[in-house]
Amino acid sequence: MEISDRVRAGDVRAMARLISLIENGFPEATSALKGLYPFTGQAFIVGITGPPGSGKSTLTDQLTQEFRRHGRTIGIVAVDPTSPFTGGAILADRIRMQRHSLDGGVFIRSMATRGHLGGLAKATNDVVNVLDAAGKEVIFIETVGVGQDEVEVVKTAHTSIVVTVPGLGDDIQAIKAGILEIADIFVVNKADREGADKTVAELKAMMALGPGRSDWSPPIFKTVAIEEEGIVELAQGILAHQAHLDQAGVRQERQRERSHALFLELLQERVTRRLLERAAANGILEQTIERIAHRDLDPYSAVDEFLEKAGF
Amino acid sequence: MPFDENEERRIESAEETWEEQTLRPTLEKLPERARQFNTVSWHPIRRLYTPRDLSDFDYTQDLGFPGLYPFTRGVYPTMYRGKIWTMRMFAGHGTPEETNRRFRYLLEQGQTGLSVAFDLPTLMGYDSDHPMSRGEVGKCGVAIDSLADMETLFDRIPLGDVTTSMTINSPAAVLWAMYLAVCEKQGVPYDRIGGTIQNDILKEFIAQKEYVFPLEPSMRLMVDTILFGAQCLPTWHPVSISGYHIREAGSTAIQELAFTLADGMAYVEATMKAGLDPDAFAPRLSFFFNVHNDFFEEIAKFRAARRMWAKLMRERYGAKDPRSWLLRTHAQTAGCALTAQQPYNNVVRVAIQALAAVLGGAQSLHTNAMDETRALPTEKAATIALRTQQIIAHETGVTHTIDPVGGSYFVETLTREIEEEAWTYLQKIDDLGGMVQAIEKGFPQQEIADASYRYQQAVERGEQVVVGVNRCVAEVEEPIPLLQIDPDKAAHQQMEKIHQLKKRRDSYPVDHTLDAIRRAAQGKDPWARDLLMPKILDAVRAYVTLGEIMGVLREAWGEYVEPAIL
Amino acid sequence: MVEERKIRVLVAKPGLDGHDRGAKVIARAFRDAGFEVIYTGLRQTPEMIVSAAIQEDVDAVGVSCLSGAHMYLFPRIVQLLRERGADDVLVFGGGTIPDEDIPKLREAGIAEIFTPGTPTSVAIDFVRNRAGRDRK
Ligand SMILES: Nc1nc2c(ncn2[C@@H]2O[C@H](COP(=O)(O)OP(=O)(O)OP(=O)(O)O)[C@@H](O)[C@H]2O)c(=O)[nH]1
Ligand SMILES: [Mg+2]
């Protein structure tokens, strides 16, 4: 059996292996992904982001429990940063989710940010497609909300949840700067701590200042993830957002946007790669760079010339 | 020591002359072995210490006299001249029957107190027949499932005459209740029962990781036992605040000291918050430190610990009773300092560590057996370890005078420096909102993980010498005899006993007492101000098992999952 | 342009003991050697470890046990991996393991036992050399 068939049959080993092929940028991955693509688009994708230690994994674990109670199958992609110094990574989100490890309806995969070819967002999206094609109904993507990369990842989700906690002080400003716009749902986790209401008020104030969205105003949920408090409400909030997407036709719109973005990304990556491979092979790349460096040629004309030669 | 300016100037000029005329030529000919010397905890050590290091030293304030504040020189006025420390060897494995035999043997050998090691299922609050217990029953200690096992464990041992230390934390309340129930059956009144439960739950989150419940209910249960002890068992030590495991997890000496005191402070504060005056319980608090290889650092650590605790209790918590100021401590030689390679060398390490504990003024001591990196100790290895203490006590003469290292320029300086660094840590923990908050934020865990990684790298690079491991390595390792345990015997026997017990016992009081515990734990009991401890006692008397009681509490409180701090 | 395949290792602590000093040090050393380390923490049953190893598609599983239960736990992990067709995953262990148990563990399919005092570099080299060698 082809690996893609095995994935479709829900074979855990095959899913896991295909994800590795994707992560390593191996060509076999592409052909398998081609075969799987027609079977994707079924899953509902939820992105969860927020500062380190805000409780994203605990929330993912609790939401998984809640969705499982209602019989939904779950895929989880938990992304942690690669160390820029060593290229290694410690992936530890799983610790909080291990109680689901023996549940056949849950597949958990930890991913390092690495220097993914074509970007982390593309790699994550490919991994999500594998889980989607394997029949996982709800897919959670957990990333630390710090860098642009992570924000991109969450953008590929249908519902983006931004997690914060009381008493972060300046960090809430960081949220404002980076990911306020992408949030469909806000969670103030660790509401057992002092200042949760203040954080909610701050978020509200920020939203009032922001550009505002006509179609959907992001709700704010208070949770105590370790105590299972507010989880049912949050899950219902996710479902409400899903219903909203379906009703308003927004989901299709998002799907289109996603496809658009992914296609462009892929195209960019492929075109660049092919051009560069060819140019590198016949030495043109080196020569051109050399000329630019010596001021024999300006980079703008160089690109024109380059593309012309490539037949554009 | 305070001396007049003339004296100081004389010493200073003599030192300068020495540096110029004696030291420098030598250094030029023969440089020292390293540019910087450090303790095993990376604390810098200088070439020489002189009276000038102690020029602002105030004898009565900084040292004082044995048995008097701040207790730097010792907690008792006569120390080992009056009474040798308690030689308390940790023992236990397999079934209660086997451990009972071992205890009676140790008492015959002249040991003066018992110390119970429980197996991991017991430590984690599982019965021997729980799926998580597979492969673990009776391995690292004795398996105790119910009061029936506890009765067997202390069969023919008069509990009014010995003191017992029980190394138990998350389920401490339950095991303690079982012990008390055995005492009741032996007819020993509560005020004649002496001993300790470790019951130091915070260090489980930091280091030993045998936690069960989340932080908050864990603290509640712990304080519950202190309150119960203060009410009913005036001679019992309800907690042994332990740095031992913090050090074993890879901390430095200073971290061990600071985090242990911080744990103690958290207990004092929580108990005071529950309405108790510090003098009503502080005299019953006791400590448990590690003794590692770095001889003087360890001695200084013990001396600094006493001085700091005295200051904390008197100044910060306003305790009035001098007994509240005392830091009485058990010590154990460092298991993590022993090597699997050339195990006989461990006998020497243990002897030196034990000597440091004695010079540091410990009240009781466990010496490790040389074979512990590979298995539970054989009887022979454990006996040598006990003999090591006896040799120090009776042959070396170090017990003849109190605090023999006191006044050493080096030791006094080191004591002071260690104290200062530990205060810095305590300040940091205060800034984080106290130890419970600091643990929640992962602060002590991260500090320990970093120190342990740093140490491992130092060993691998050869900067930290470990004889037999990275220096003086043997071509061929000579095997030593190890203790053989039938791997499944204890499990089978215990499972059979639980099975029989559950068939035999009356189920009405079982359900009834468990229900009372459940309601109290959930805080839905109308008598919510009541303690849990008496309810747990009722349950154990009805032969409710450890796993049943802990199971009800697990349901009520949930279980802790630790953050990954690497 | 194909990236070099990353080595992925699962570091887990089966059994009830909480002595994770060794597991943490090795996890950190692996990371510093450029591996991706999936750390699942304490008190993992063999079933949980194997399930995680398969989902994470790791090259190797490192387990440490200081409680004396290694003769049950380690072979059980190998056995479950085999049952699930993942016998190409390298299993290695450490902890308080008497010498005489080592041959028995090897026989049960544990690739290597690192006894106390083994430098982390030895474990790193071992995994690097062996990882994926038998990968199907
Ligand atoms: N007090 C409190 N602690 C919580 C709550 N939710 C999670 N935590 C704790 O916060 C810590 C971090 O939780 P995680 O779920 O690992 O957080 P995370 O955002 O996934 O962390 P990273 O993946 O490391 O960025 C853990 O110690 C949790 O137990 C909560 O609601 N209240
Ligand atoms: Mg996480």
Side-chain angles (χ1 to χ4, degrees):
Chain A
M1 255 208 301
E2 290 277 316
I3 193 162
S4 51
D5 296 325
R6 286 169 54 209
V7 167
R8 283 200 55 219
D11 177 338
V12 177
R13 283 268 286 163
M15 290 160 72
R17 187 53 57 86
L18 178 52
I19 294 173
S20 298
L21 294 175
I22 293 168
E23 286 207 274
N24 287 308
F26 286 172
E28 303 95 295
T30 314
S31 61
L33 285 168
K34 280 181 191 167
L36 288 177
Y37 193 75
F39 307 100
T40 60
Q42 307 301 310
F44 191 75
I45 303 160
V46 180
I48 300 183
T49 192
S54 52
K56 300 176 294 295
S57 301
T58 314
L59 282 165
T60 305
D61 170 70
Q62 296 286 13
L63 286 170
T64 299
Q65 180 84 351
E66 178 62 16
F67 278 90
R68 286 300 289 149
R69 251 180 228 143
H70 295 91
R72 306 289 178 85
T73 55
I74 305 291
I76 298 171
V77 186
V79 186
D80 267 331
T82 293
S83 152
F85 306 109
T86 64
I90 287 180
L91 311 174
D93 293 318
R94 234 195 137 89
I95 287 192
R96 310 227 157 253
M97 311 174 186
Q98 272 299 78
R99 65 170 159 161
H100 303 294
S101 62
L102 298 181
D103 177 351
V106 180
F107 183 100
I108 307 169
R109 180 65 176 233
S110 315
M111 236 176 111
T113 49
R114 294 194 191 173
H116 277 287
L117 212 58
L120 177 64
K122 176 183 168 289
T124 315
N125 188 69
D126 287 345
V127 172
V128 166
N129 278 345
V130 174
L131 300 179
D132 186 347
K136 297 290 175 259
E137 294 164 311
V138 180
I139 296 168
F140 294 108
I141 310 172
E142 177 193 335
T143 67
V144 183
V146 279
Q148 190 58 32
D149 276 1
E150 281 82 0
V151 174
E152 290 295 320
V153 170
V154 173
K155 267 191 186 165
T156 67
H158 294 123
T159 300
S160 300
I161 301 180
V162 173
V163 184
T164 180
V165 292
L168 273 186
D170 291 344
D171 285 26
I172 207 151
Q173 300 300 324
I175 291 180
K176 182 179 162 188
I179 43 186
L180 190 60
E181 310 82 62
I182 62 162
D184 299 307
I185 292 175
F186 283 104
V187 171
V188 177
N189 188 41
K190 307 199 184 184
D192 51 329
R193 295 226 182 124
E194 247 169 75
D197 290 324
K198 189 164 156 256
T199 308
V200 171
E202 279 168 8
L203 278 174
K204 279 194 183 142
M206 251 177 243
M207 283 195 299
L209 285 178
R213 283 155 65 169
S214 53
D215 58 327
W216 172 262
S217 112
I220 304 173
F221 291 96
K222 280 196 290 182
T223 58
V224 184
I226 43 166
E227 307 271 344
E228 256 175 85
E229 268 172 44
I231 302 300
V232 174
E233 292 79 0
L234 175 58
Q236 276 162 6
I238 294 171
L239 293 177
H241 186 245
Q242 182 180 8
H244 159 76
L245 292 181
D246 287 338
Q247 244 176 28
V250 189
R251 185 166 176 182
Q252 265 155 3
E253 184 54 33
R254 283 217 177 177
Q255 208 87 278
R256 253 189 59 90
E257 275 171 24
R258 259 182 75 203
S259 309
H260 184 116
L262 285 166
F263 176 72
L264 286 189
E265 224 169 73
L266 201 56
L267 185 68
Q268 234 168 31
E269 189 240 310
R270 288 294 189 82
V271 167
T272 317
R273 178 151 39 128
R274 284 222 199 145
L275 280 176
L276 289 181
E277 270 167 14
R278 220 190 306 163
N282 55 27
I284 290 183
L285 186 62
E286 267 307 299
Q287 286 168 20
T288 311
I289 291 170
E290 206 53 28
R291 284 167 64 204
I292 301 174
H294 282 98
R295 297 286 187 281
D296 291 341
L297 183 67
D298 70 275
Y300 311 98
S301 315
V303 170
D304 286 340
E305 196 179 293
F306 194 87
L307 288 177
E308 209 162 306
K309 273 195 198 141
F312 278 84
Chain B
M1 314 283 149
F3 33 52
D4 61 55
E5 275 174 35
N6 279 340
E7 172 88 355
E8 179 157 13
R9 236 172 282 125
R10 244 169 12 98
I11 297 173
E12 187 176 346
S13 93
E15 187 171 348
E16 274 163 16
T17 316
W18 171 73
E19 277 181 356
E20 236 4 77
Q21 298 178 2
T22 313
L23 177 65
R24 190 191 294 165
T26 306
L27 286 178
E28 276 162 9
K29 263 189 288 178
L30 184 72
E32 291 174 335
R33 288 179 294 111
R35 290 193 46 186
Q36 173 66 51
F37 290 80
N38 295 320
T39 67
V40 72
S41 304
W42 306 290
H43 185 83
I45 299 295
R46 300 203 315 271
R47 175 179 300 119
L48 187 74
Y49 296 79
T50 68
R52 291 175 58 216
D53 291 297
L54 304 181
S55 59
D56 59 347
F57 202 75
D58 182 330
Y59 182 82
T60 46
Q61 261 197 14
D62 296 328
L63 290 187
F65 286 88
L68 288 181
Y69 188 90
F71 307 101
T72 314
R73 309 211 64 180
V75 287
Y76 298 126
T78 58
M79 288 302 290
Y80 307 133
R81 287 170 67 98
K83 179 178 168 288
I84 298 289
W85 62 90
T86 306
M87 300 178 190
R88 199 187 285 283
M89 304 291 282
F90 193 50
H93 74 263
T95 60
E97 288 81 358
E98 286 168 281
T99 303
N100 174 258
R101 273 197 294 280
R102 176 81 166 196
F103 280 170
R104 284 189 286 126
Y105 168 82
L106 286 171
L107 290 172
E108 279 162 23
Q109 291 303 300
Q111 182 167 310
T112 44
L114 294 176
S115 178
V116 192
F118 295 101
D119 71 353
L120 278 159
T122 308
L123 292 170
M124 291 302 296
Y126 293 120
D127 284 342
S128 299
D129 58 354
H130 190 281
M132 286 299 284
S133 307
R134 284 208 53 185
E136 313 263 18
V137 176
K139 286 282 162 65
C140 297
V142 59
I144 299 291
D145 294 313
S146 74
L147 175 58
D149 291 332
M150 203 64 124
E151 288 163 3
T152 311
L153 184 65
F154 294 106
D155 184 35
R156 282 175 286 165
I157 298 173
L159 295 183
D161 300 338
V162 296
T163 62
T164 305
S165 162
M166 287 187 272
T167 300
I168 187 83
N169 292 282
S170 291
V174 184
L175 273 300
W176 188 28
M178 288 182 187
Y179 186 81
L180 298 180
V182 176
C183 291
E184 288 168 6
K185 297 210 160 181
Q186 287 192 2
V188 183
Y190 273 14
D191 60 5
R192 273 198 45 218
I193 304 174
T196 316
I197 39 176
Q198 194 164 78
N199 203 20
D200 172 9
I201 199 63
L202 289 179
K203 65 98 172 51
E204 297 299 337
F205 294 93
I206 308 174
Q208 184 164 248
K209 313 294 175 72
E210 283 156 12
Y211 42 69
V212 173
F213 315 116
L215 271 161
E216 203 184 306
S218 295
M219 281 295 282
R220 171 184 164 188
L221 188 56
M222 195 271 165
V223 171
D224 194 290
T225 55
I226 296 190
L227 297 177
F228 181 77
Q231 276 173 20
C232 309
L233 281 110
T235 50
W236 188 270
H237 297 281
V239 58
S240 167
I241 307 160
S242 307
Y244 183 81
H245 319 83
I246 294 174
R247 193 69 182 278
E248 290 292 301
S251 82
T252 65
I254 290 156
Q255 288 166 351
E256 178 196 353
L257 171 59
F259 297 159
T260 308
L261 295 184
D263 287 346
M265 289 158 70
Y267 301 140
V268 170
E269 284 165 24
T271 312
M272 286 172 67
K273 213 170 142 195
L276 228 57
D277 186 86
D279 288 325
F281 65 94
R284 307 313 303 161
L285 300 178
S286 65
F287 286 80
F288 172 19
F289 284 99
N290 198 299
V291 230
H292 209 281
N293 284 339
D294 200 301
F295 193 68
F296 290 107
E297 182 173 56
E298 292 304 303
I299 297 173
K301 179 184 78 185
F302 280 89
R303 302 173 88 245
R306 280 194 295 273
R307 192 152 73 198
M308 291 176 78
W309 187 248
K311 288 181 191 169
L312 283 166
M313 287 313 299
R314 193 173 84 170
E315 317 302 337
R316 180 169 171 144
Y317 298 117
K320 306 244 159 22
D321 184 344
R323 290 177 312 147
S324 300
W325 308 334
L326 296 186
L327 180 143
R328 270 169 303 226
T329 188
H330 175 63
Q332 181 174 338
T333 57
C336 62
L338 303 187
T339 63
Q341 295 78 2
Q342 306 177 32
Y344 290 109
N345 297 348
N346 292 332
V347 175
V348 181
R349 291 192 180 96
V350 167
I352 295 169
Q353 294 163 358
L355 182 60
V358 169
L359 294 179
Q363 278 57 60
S364 67
L365 179 61
H366 168 102
T367 32
N368 286 335
M370 63 173 187
D371 52 359
E372 283 181 28
T373 62
R374 281 304 175 85
L376 283 180
T378 58
E379 199 152 293
K380 190 166 169 206
T383 305
I384 294 176
L386 177 61
R387 296 286 178 258
T388 306
Q389 293 197 40
Q390 291 159 338
I391 290 167
I392 293 173
H394 306 300
E395 295 185 9
T396 62
V398 296
T399 53
H400 297 346
T401 188
I402 300 168
D403 188 29
V405 295
S408 145
Y409 309 123
F410 173 44
V411 173
E412 295 302 351
T413 307
L414 193 57
T415 304
R416 187 153 67 178
E417 287 171 353
I418 285 178
E419 177 177 348
E420 276 163 15
E421 287 190 43
W423 284 123
T424 308
Y425 262 120
L426 291 183
Q427 184 58 51
K428 241 182 251 172
I429 291 165
D430 267 345
D431 292 345
L432 289 171
M435 196 53 163
V436 176
Q437 293 278 329
I439 292 172
E440 231 177 50
K441 294 187 174 117
F443 172 70
Q445 298 96 307
Q446 190 65 62
E447 290 288 307
I448 296 169
D450 289 347
S452 110
Y453 194 54
R454 184 175 171 190
Y455 179 82
Q456 178 66 26
Q457 287 183 313
V459 171
E460 292 190 14
R461 283 197 293 260
E463 295 160 10
Q464 175 67 52
V465 174
V466 184
V467 171
V469 172
N470 63 5
R471 189 81 64 88
C472 322
V473 178
E475 285 283 317
V476 188
E477 285 285 341
E478 184 190 343
I480 54 166
L482 295 179
L483 186 70
Q484 303 295 332
I485 306 178
D486 182 337
D488 302 317
K489 196 178 109 204
H492 289 148
Q493 288 186 5
Q494 288 304 109
M495 279 156 94
E496 181 54 28
K497 276 197 263 177
I498 294 180
H499 181 71
Q500 293 299 336
L501 176 85
K502 287 189 176 171
K503 260 199 335 212
R504 206 171 58 221
R505 71 182 180 189
D506 184 357
S507 74
Y508 174 76
V510 172
D511 299 341
H512 185 75
T513 53
L514 276 178
D515 207 49
I517 294 174
R518 181 178 299 115
R519 272 183 293 130
Q522 287 167 341
K524 288 174 192 153
D525 193 319
W527 305 96
R529 289 177 59 90
D530 279 1
L531 296 179
L532 274 165
M533 208 34 219
K535 299 180 170 62
I536 294 174
L537 252 168
D538 285 341
V540 303
R541 289 188 194 113
Y543 292 91
V544 180
T545 67
L546 169 68
E548 288 169 328
I549 296 171
M550 291 294 283
V552 161
L553 293 176
R554 277 185 158 98
E555 264 172 45
W557 290 338
E559 292 188 58
Y560 182 76
V561 179
E562 72 163 353
I565 297 168
L566 299 169
Chain C
M1 198 172 65
V2 165
E3 288 175 58
E4 193 193 336
R5 199 173 70 81
K6 277 272 178 207
I7 295 176
R8 286 166 70 88
V9 185
L10 183 100
V11 174
K13 271 252 351 75
L16 288 177
D17 76 279
H19 300 108
D20 54 4
R21 178 176 179 173
K24 286 186 166 184
V25 165
I26 199 77
R28 206 156 148 169
F30 282 160
R31 183 208 42 205
D32 290 350
F35 299 177
E36 285 178 2
V37 184
I38 293 100
Y39 186 74
T40 56
L42 294 169
R43 307 211 169 80
Q44 301 288 301
T45 62
E47 287 76 10
M48 290 160 97
I49 290 170
V50 166
S51 175
I54 289 176
Q55 291 181 0
E56 299 289 355
D57 191 33
V58 293
D59 301 280
V61 173
V63 284
S64 121
C65 175
L66 283 83
S67 72
H70 52 272
M71 290 308 283
Y72 164 69
L73 295 165
F74 293 5
R76 178 85 183 132
I77 291 169
V78 174
Q79 182 200 350
L80 286 167
L81 281 168
R82 284 186 183 152
E83 280 171 18
R84 299 192 52 181
D87 49 345
D88 53 344
V89 178
L90 194 69
V91 179
F92 62 95
T96 315
I97 318 259
D99 283 332
E100 64 204 55
D101 287 350
I102 294 175
K104 292 182 217 157
L105 289 169
R106 285 239 177 78
E107 213 164 284
I110 287 88
E112 191 59 274
I113 293 292
F114 298 108
T115 47
T118 313
T120 52
S121 55
V122 173
I124 290 168
D125 289 340
F126 175 79
V127 173
R128 191 171 272 141
N129 292 332
R130 288 282 302 269
R133 207 174 64 182
D134 312 316
R135 214 167 145 99
K136 291 186 299 211

Coordinates of all heavy atoms in Angstrom, one line a residue, chain A residues 51-58 80 93 96 142 144 189-190 192-193 223-226, chain B residues 440 563, ligand 1:
Chain A
P51 N 1.8 33.8 25.0 CA 3.2 33.9 25.6 C 3.6 32.5 26.2 O 2.7 31.7 26.5 CB 3.1 35.0 26.6 CG 1.7 35.5 26.7 CD 0.9 34.8 25.7
P52 N 4.9 32.3 26.3 CA 5.4 31.1 27.0 C 4.8 30.9 28.3 O 4.7 31.8 29.1 CB 6.9 31.4 27.1 CG 7.2 32.5 26.2 CD 6.0 33.3 26.0
G53 N 4.4 29.7 28.6 CA 3.9 29.3 29.9 C 2.5 29.8 30.2 O 2.1 29.8 31.4
S54 N 1.8 30.3 29.2 CA 0.5 30.9 29.6 C -0.6 29.8 29.7 O -1.7 30.1 30.1 CB 0.1 31.9 28.5 OG 0.2 31.3 27.2
G55 N -0.2 28.6 29.4 CA -1.2 27.5 29.6 C -1.8 26.9 28.3 O -2.8 26.3 28.3
K56 N -1.1 27.2 27.2 CA -1.6 26.7 25.9 C -1.7 25.2 25.8 O -2.7 24.7 25.4 CB -0.6 27.2 24.8 CG -0.5 28.7 24.7 CD 0.5 29.1 23.7 CE 1.9 28.7 24.0 NZ 2.5 29.3 25.1
S57 N -0.7 24.5 26.3 CA -0.8 23.0 26.3 C -1.8 22.5 27.2 O -2.5 21.6 26.8 CB 0.6 22.4 26.6 OG 1.6 22.9 25.8
T58 N -1.9 23.1 28.4 CA -3.0 22.6 29.3 C -4.4 22.9 28.7 O -5.2 22.0 28.8 CB -2.8 23.4 30.6 OG1 -1.4 23.4 31.0 CG2 -3.6 22.7 31.7
D80 N 7.3 24.0 19.1 CA 8.2 24.6 20.0 C 9.5 25.1 19.3 O 9.8 24.5 18.2 CB 8.7 23.6 21.1 CG 7.8 23.6 22.3 OD1 7.3 24.7 22.6 OD2 7.7 22.5 23.0
D93 N 5.7 20.0 25.1 CA 4.2 20.3 25.2 C 3.5 19.0 25.5 O 2.4 19.0 26.2 CB 3.7 20.9 23.9 CG 4.2 22.3 23.7 OD1 4.3 23.1 24.6 OD2 4.5 22.6 22.5
R96 N 1.8 17.7 29.0 CA 0.5 18.0 29.5 C -0.6 17.2 28.8 O -1.8 17.4 29.1 CB 0.2 19.5 29.3 CG 1.3 20.3 29.8 CD 0.9 21.4 30.7 NE 2.0 21.8 31.5 CZ 2.1 21.5 32.8 NH1 1.1 21.0 33.5 NH2 3.2 21.7 33.5
E142 N -0.7 24.3 18.4 CA -0.2 25.2 19.5 C 1.2 25.8 19.1 O 2.1 25.1 18.7 CB 0.0 24.4 20.7 CG 0.6 25.2 21.9 CD 1.1 24.4 23.1 OE1 0.6 23.3 23.3 OE2 2.0 25.0 23.8
V144 N 4.0 29.2 20.3 CA 4.3 30.3 21.2 C 4.1 31.6 20.4 O 4.7 31.7 19.3 CB 5.7 30.2 21.7 CG1 6.0 31.3 22.7 CG2 6.0 28.9 22.4
N189 N -6.3 32.9 30.7 CA -6.1 31.7 31.5 C -5.5 32.1 32.8 O -5.1 33.2 33.0 CB -5.2 30.7 30.7 CG -5.2 29.4 31.4 OD1 -6.2 28.9 31.9 ND2 -4.0 28.8 31.4
K190 N -5.4 31.1 33.7 CA -4.9 31.3 35.1 C -5.8 32.4 35.8 O -5.3 33.3 36.5 CB -3.4 31.7 35.1 CG -2.6 30.8 34.3 CD -1.1 30.9 34.7 CE -0.3 29.9 33.8 NZ 1.1 29.8 34.1
D192 N -7.4 32.0 38.1 CA -7.4 31.8 39.6 C -6.4 32.8 40.2 O -6.4 33.0 41.4 CB -7.0 30.4 40.0 CG -5.7 30.0 39.2 OD1 -5.5 30.4 38.1 OD2 -4.9 29.1 39.8
R193 N -5.6 33.5 39.3 CA -4.6 34.4 39.8 C -5.3 35.8 39.9 O -6.3 36.1 39.3 CB -3.5 34.5 38.9 CG -2.6 33.3 38.8 CD -1.2 33.7 38.9 NE -0.4 32.5 38.8 CZ 0.6 32.3 37.8 NH1 0.8 33.3 37.0 NH2 1.3 31.2 37.8
T223 N -10.5 31.3 31.9 CA -10.3 29.9 32.2 C -9.3 29.7 33.3 O -8.5 30.5 33.6 CB -9.8 29.1 31.0 OG1 -8.6 29.7 30.6 CG2 -10.8 29.2 29.8
V224 N -9.5 28.5 34.0 CA -8.5 28.0 34.9 C -8.2 26.6 34.4 O -8.9 25.7 34.7 CB -8.9 28.0 36.4 CG1 -7.8 27.5 37.3 CG2 -9.4 29.3 36.9
A225 N -7.3 26.6 33.4 CA -7.1 25.3 32.7 C -6.8 24.1 33.6 O -7.3 23.0 33.4 CB -6.0 25.5 31.6
I226 N -6.0 24.4 34.6 CA -5.6 23.2 35.5 C -6.8 22.7 36.3 O -6.8 21.6 36.8 CB -4.4 23.5 36.4 CG1 -4.6 24.9 37.1 CG2 -3.1 23.4 35.7 CD1 -3.7 25.1 38.2
Chain B
E440 N 5.9 27.6 41.5 CA 4.9 27.7 40.4 C 5.6 28.3 39.2 O 5.3 27.9 38.1 CB 3.7 28.5 40.9 CG 2.4 27.8 40.6 CD 1.2 28.6 41.1 OE1 1.1 29.8 40.7 OE2 0.4 28.0 41.8
P563 N 5.7 21.3 35.1 CA 6.1 21.9 33.9 C 7.5 21.3 33.5 O 8.2 20.9 34.4 CB 6.3 23.4 34.3 CG 6.4 23.4 35.8 CD 5.7 22.2 36.3
Ligands
LIG1 N1 -2.5 28.7 38.3 C1 -2.7 28.2 37.1 N2 -1.7 27.6 36.5 C2 -2.0 27.1 35.3 C3 -3.2 27.3 34.6 N3 -3.1 26.7 33.4 C4 -1.8 26.2 33.3 N4 -1.1 26.5 34.4 C5 0.2 26.2 34.7 O1 1.1 27.0 33.9 C6 2.3 26.3 33.5 C7 2.4 26.3 32.0 O2 1.4 25.6 31.4 P1 1.5 25.0 29.9 O3 0.2 24.5 29.5 O4 2.7 24.2 29.8 O5 1.8 26.4 29.2 P2 2.2 26.6 27.7 O6 1.6 28.0 27.3 O7 1.8 25.5 26.8 O8 3.7 26.7 27.8 P3 4.9 26.7 26.6 O9 4.4 25.7 25.6 O10 6.1 26.3 27.4 O11 4.9 28.1 26.1 C8 2.1 24.9 34.1 O12 2.8 24.8 35.3 C9 0.6 24.7 34.3 O13 0.2 23.9 35.4 C10 -4.2 27.9 35.3 O14 -5.4 28.1 34.8 N5 -4.0 28.4 36.6

